[in-house]
Amino acid sequence: MALKMDNITDTLTITQPDDWHLHVRTGTILKTVIAHTAQQFARAIIMPNLKPPVTTVEHALVYRNEILAALPEDSDFQPLMTLYLTGNTRAEEIKKVAESQQVFAFKLYPAGATTNSDDGVANIEAAYPIFAAMENHNVPLLIHGEVTHADYDIFDREKAFIDNHLTEITRQFPALRIVFEHLTTQDAVQFVESASDNVGATITPQHLLYNRNAILAGGIRPHFYCLPILKREHHRQALLTAATSGNPKFFLGTDSAPHLSHLKESACGCAGCYSAHAALELYAEAFEKADALDKLEGFASFHGADFYGLPRNTGTVTLEKRAWTVPMQYGETDNLITPLRAGEQLHWQFVNH
Ligand code: DOR
Ligand code: ZN
């Protein structure tokens, strides 16, 4: 255990963490954002919702090479690839994933749930034979847990997904390893806590730090709009309690999701918060406010690796208690991204080696 807290200099040193839920896109944006992630994290689960989506091992390997080529020199960051589940996913592809050293899981997007999810699964029950194949081959299923039907209030969609789908999936496939991604409600926390050890969950920094007022109070703030949407304060409290509990089912997944600033600051802004520029700082702030900095290392550096059956990292990273102001934007002209907390202060700072 590397956790070291030095109260005199106010530094925090933990085993190097991993990000178990990350969007990096392609092209110019990829170069900007991967440098941020690779600075803090040893590995990250790379989400496959590109256009077109990453549906085959072959495509995932091409995408992996693009990510490796975009890394800063000397980086030994490892992208852990995933495939996008569609109504057409074949059992042979599951076997290929099981045999791959580079592809680690499938991601289930209910069709229409979020950014680039149009090719997702429209009929979840029709995918049961595929879930059975994943269970047999011990391939994890990563789930965006929201129903998509317009009749459901956007704030109720996660709970409805648990009631309508997830409870039954875990009953039918008890040995299937499931990551319930980016939890946003107390209902989801309770579901994960009472499920078997095959069910884990990621929690983002924005859902630990903000409730839905951040999007709507005092004006519409598109940079706080992500899916699943921020919820009421009591849900945020439940997430914070879960993340800081030491329960190994809960682990770090930023869901850092870059979009060009003008596409978020629009009459129909897209969903996603960009947090890779200060991921650990944001989590440290949330854990510190809960008086639980001693629980950050398990959440950030151990629980996810253990769940995926991967070795824990051996290096360390250090944060210092030092105020800094987050830039208004990152990236190159015509490819600018507005980060979470743009123009505001953060009180922890990652120390560059
Ligand atoms: O807010 C989100 N943005 N939620 C998702 O599920 C996808 C992500 C993205 O890719 O932009
Ligand atoms: Zn995501």
Side-chain angles (χ1 to χ4, degrees):
M1 177 117 163
L3 175 71
K4 192 167 148 261
M5 291 168 71
D6 185 334
N7 291 328
I8 302 164
T9 54
D10 270 338
T11 65
L12 172 64
T13 296
I14 61 171
T15 301
Q16 190 172 25
D18 304 299
D19 185 347
W20 300 100
H21 185 134
L22 180 68
H23 300 266
V24 293
R25 321 298 189 201
T26 58
T28 315
I29 288 195
L30 167 61
K31 231 178 152 57
T32 303
V33 304
I34 200 67
H36 287 157
T37 291
Q39 189 169 52
Q40 302 199 343
F41 297 99
R43 301 169 288 200
I45 283 279
I46 306 294
M47 287 297 156
N49 60 333
L50 303 182
K51 269 185 186 164
V54 181
T55 55
T56 62
V57 169
E58 210 180 346
H59 186 178
L61 296 181
V62 172
Y63 185 28
R64 180 174 178 273
N65 284 338
E66 186 183 348
I67 295 168
L68 292 175
L71 281 169
E73 260 176 57
D74 302 335
S75 173
D76 45 19
F77 173 81
Q78 289 175 47
L80 312 177
M81 309 310 291
T82 61
L83 297 193
Y84 187 114
L85 198 68
T86 75
N88 297 321
T89 301
R90 300 266 158 270
E92 299 90 80
E93 209 63 41
I94 316 275
K95 198 158 167 273
K96 281 194 198 161
V97 169
E99 286 161 1
S100 165
Q101 303 296 307
Q102 267 87 37
V103 184
F104 289 82
F106 274 88
K107 176 73 185 283
L108 164 62
Y109 289 102
T114 187
T115 308
N116 298 349
S117 64
D118 294 350
D119 297 303
V121 176
N123 179 350
I124 292 177
E125 284 63 39
Y128 275 18
I130 293 296
F131 297 164
M134 285 180 203
E135 186 182 42
N136 286 337
H137 288 286
N138 195 22
V139 172
L141 175 64
L142 319 182
I143 300 183
H144 182 115
E146 286 192 289
V147 296
T148 54
H149 199 282
D151 287 352
Y152 287 93
D153 189 284
I154 189 166
F155 292 98
D156 298 334
R157 289 180 179 190
E158 187 172 84
K159 173 162 173 24
F161 187 88
I162 298 168
D163 296 343
N164 299 0
H165 302 291
L166 197 51
T167 304
E168 188 58 18
I169 295 172
T170 52
R171 212 179 63 77
Q172 298 257 352
F173 307 101
L176 177 61
R177 281 191 298 147
I178 292 175
V179 182
F180 192 172
E181 299 289 347
H182 40 51
L183 301 193
T184 64
T185 57
Q186 184 172 28
D187 311 274
V189 166
Q190 283 167 355
F191 175 82
V192 172
E193 282 172 348
S194 56
S196 82
D197 287 348
N198 289 322
V199 179
T202 54
I203 305 180
T204 77
Q206 66 267 24
H207 292 102
L208 290 176
L209 287 167
Y210 301 104
N211 64 35
R212 64 192 198 173
N213 286 351
I215 321 169
L216 295 170
I220 297 178
R221 299 174 196 278
H223 298 293
F224 287 97
Y225 174 61
C226 67
L227 290 171
I229 198 160
L230 296 173
K231 305 294 194 299
R232 285 179 179 276
E233 175 62 11
H234 80 268
H235 292 299
R236 186 187 76 85
Q237 293 284 348
L239 296 168
L240 200 52
T241 303
T244 59
S245 65
N247 184 337
K249 285 169 160 278
F250 300 105
F251 39 90
L252 184 158
T254 61
D255 198 12
S256 178
H259 290 276
L260 298 185
S261 300
H262 73 274
L263 296 179
K264 287 191 66 65
E265 296 162 8
S266 127
C268 185
C270 39
C273 295
Y274 182 67
S275 60
H277 63 297
L280 273 183
E281 291 93 329
L282 291 162
Y283 281 111
E285 182 177 309
F287 275 63
E288 185 176 40
K289 278 192 193 150
D291 202 13
L293 269 180
D294 60 322
K295 295 292 196 303
L296 182 62
E297 185 178 44
F299 176 80
S301 314
F302 298 156
H303 301 169
D306 295 351
F307 185 89
Y308 276 87
L310 293 169
R312 293 178 177 184
N313 298 316
T314 50
T316 59
V317 295
T318 298
L319 297 177
E320 276 180 16
K321 196 73 177 286
R322 185 189 323 133
W324 61 289
T325 303
V326 176
M328 289 306 290
Q329 291 184 306
Y330 286 103
E332 293 165 25
T333 323
D334 298 335
N335 281 288
L336 293 167
I337 298 158
T338 303
L340 206 62
R341 288 287 266 279
E344 291 176 42
Q345 278 208 339
L346 285 174
H347 300 285
W348 286 98
Q349 187 167 38
F350 185 85
V351 180
N352 247 323
H353 299 289

